[in-house]
Amino acid sequence: MALPPLARSTLDRAAHHRTDPEWLADAWARARVLVVDSVGGGRALLDDGGLVVLDAKEAPDGDRLFLGVEPDGTPVFAVDAPLPERPGATAVALREVGHELNDRDAGLFVAALALAQWHAGHPYSSATGLPTTLAEGGWVRVDEGGAQSFPRTDPAMIVLVHDGVAGPDGQCLLGSNATWGRSPTVRRFSCLAGYVEPGESAEAAVVREVAEEVGVAVRDIVYEGSQAWPYPGSLMLGFTAYADPSQPVRVDPAEIAHARWFMRREIGAALAGDTVDAGDGLRLMLPPPASIAYFLVNTWLRQG
C-alpha cells in the first residue's frame, strides 16, 4: 500500500526511555543529532547523502529533543537552533523536499519539526499561565507547580472529491484558497480541507467542510491515509468522496476564491508539466509533492 510522503519512518520512538534521565544523558553522548530551525522556516541541512545529522559534540546549544532509536541502536535527538555552517549542505524546508527523502530521513524531519514547533509555541502552561520547561526528553513541559503539558496535534480532514467516472473524462473538484493570494501567471488549486471540530468525526467534517466551502453534498467517503503536517502542528486525515458534478458549485468567498471540476486528462497533463488553463488565462498549479493533497490527487489519477 502506498503511503503519503510524510507518513514514512524507520525510527523506533522508544517512549519507555523518555522518563529515564540517566539513559537520556548516556544516549546523548553517542547520539546522532538533527538540527532544525523552527524560527527560520522549519529548515534543516541537506547534502548529497541526505539529511545532515551531527555527532553530539558538534551540535549547537539548545533543548535536546529525544526522537527515538535507529534500527542500528543509535539514539537520535533534535535541537531547535540556527543551522550551523556546513560545506556542501543546503538549508531546506520539509514541504520542499519531504517527498524526495528516504524513509529514514522523512520520519526524522517530520518528527523533529513537529516537536520543535510545539515547544516553540508553548512556553507557558495553558492551565496555570506559568512558564514551562522541557522534561522527559522533550515530550512534556512542566511549570514550577508540576502542571504538565503534552504535545498536541490538531486533526484536520482533506478530501479529493470526484465523480466516480473512470478514464480520462473522470473529474475531480478542486478549490483555490482565498488566502493564497494572486499570481499573474498561475492559479493554485488543491483538495478541500478543514479542521475537525470538537465532538465531530473526521467523516462528518468532510461532509460539513465541503458543503461550507463549495456548497456540494458528498457521499461514499473513503479513508486513504494520513500524515503529519507540522505547519505548525496538524495531522492531515486524507479521504476521497463522491459528488455529482451537476450540483452547482457555490463557494464561500471567505474560504475559497475559485473552485471547479477538472478532468483526469487535465490533472495528468498538469502533473506532467504541461500548461493547463485554470481560468482567466492562468496556468493550473497543483499541490506540492510533499503534501497529502498531491498524494490524493496522484492516487486518483492512477486509479483511472
Side-chain angles (χ1 to χ4, degrees):
M1 177 181 176
L3 293 174
L6 302 184
R8 300 169 293 126
S9 181
T10 62
L11 194 69
D12 175 0
R13 295 198 172 204
H16 58 288
H17 289 310
R18 297 172 185 171
T19 56
D20 186 340
E22 291 185 5
W23 186 93
L24 290 172
D26 176 72
W28 173 260
R30 53 191 175 89
R32 298 175 180 131
V33 182
L34 176 63
V35 182
V36 292
D37 185 357
S38 66
V39 175
R43 295 181 176 270
L45 291 178
L46 183 75
D47 63 18
D48 291 341
L51 283 184
V52 174
V53 291
L54 309 176
D55 293 333
K57 63 180 179 295
E58 301 177 285
D61 292 336
D63 288 335
R64 301 170 183 178
L65 311 177
F66 173 60
L67 301 183
V69 177
E70 300 229 58
D72 66 0
T74 304
V76 184
F77 287 75
V79 172
D80 186 1
L83 300 180
E85 293 291 331
R86 190 82 171 187
T90 304
V92 294
L94 179 66
R95 69 173 85 222
E96 298 168 348
V97 302
H99 60 293
E100 299 174 342
L101 300 175
N102 61 30
D103 292 358
R104 178 255 196 180
D105 284 358
L108 288 183
F109 202 165
V110 72
L113 183 56
L115 197 54
Q117 294 274 36
W118 178 77
H119 280 287
H122 294 80
Y124 299 96
S125 168
S126 61
T128 66
L130 295 173
T132 57
T133 56
L134 179 148
E136 296 188 14
W139 293 91
V140 177
R141 294 191 71 86
V142 184
D143 71 13
E144 63 184 25
Q148 296 180 321
S149 302
F150 297 89
R152 290 292 184 266
T153 297
D154 297 320
M157 51 66 49
I158 184 166
V159 59
L160 191 283
V161 179
H162 65 91
D163 65 354
V165 174
D169 292 333
Q171 299 179 79
C172 68
L173 177 61
L174 303 178
S176 181
N177 196 285
T179 65
W180 289 342
R182 297 181 179 181
S183 164
T185 58
V186 301
R187 179 172 288 159
R188 177 180 165 196
F189 280 84
S190 186
C191 301
L192 303 174
Y195 286 106
V196 180
E197 295 186 343
E200 183 178 49
S201 71
E203 292 80 1
V206 169
V207 175
R208 175 183 55 77
E209 285 284 352
V210 175
E212 289 177 355
E213 292 187 351
V214 295
V216 170
V218 299
R219 60 177 173 83
D220 299 339
I221 299 168
V222 177
Y223 174 70
E224 301 289 350
S226 67
Q227 72 174 26
W229 192 246
Y231 295 103
S234 298
L235 175 65
M236 304 302 298
L237 307 169
F239 295 88
T240 53
Y242 169 82
D244 183 348
S246 68
Q247 297 180 74
V249 175
R250 299 188 179 95
V251 302
D252 174 1
E255 296 271 352
I256 303 294
H258 306 276
R260 55 165 284 196
W261 291 88
F262 290 91
M263 287 187 175
R264 190 177 267 110
R265 62 166 59 92
E266 294 177 291
I267 297 298
L271 290 179
D274 297 335
T275 298
V276 175
D277 182 26
D280 300 325
L282 301 179
R283 178 172 58 85
L284 172 63
M285 184 172 72
L286 291 170
S291 68
I292 194 171
Y294 182 96
F295 170 80
L296 293 172
V297 170
N298 196 43
T299 299
W300 170 80
L301 176 67
R302 289 185 285 106
Q303 289 172 345

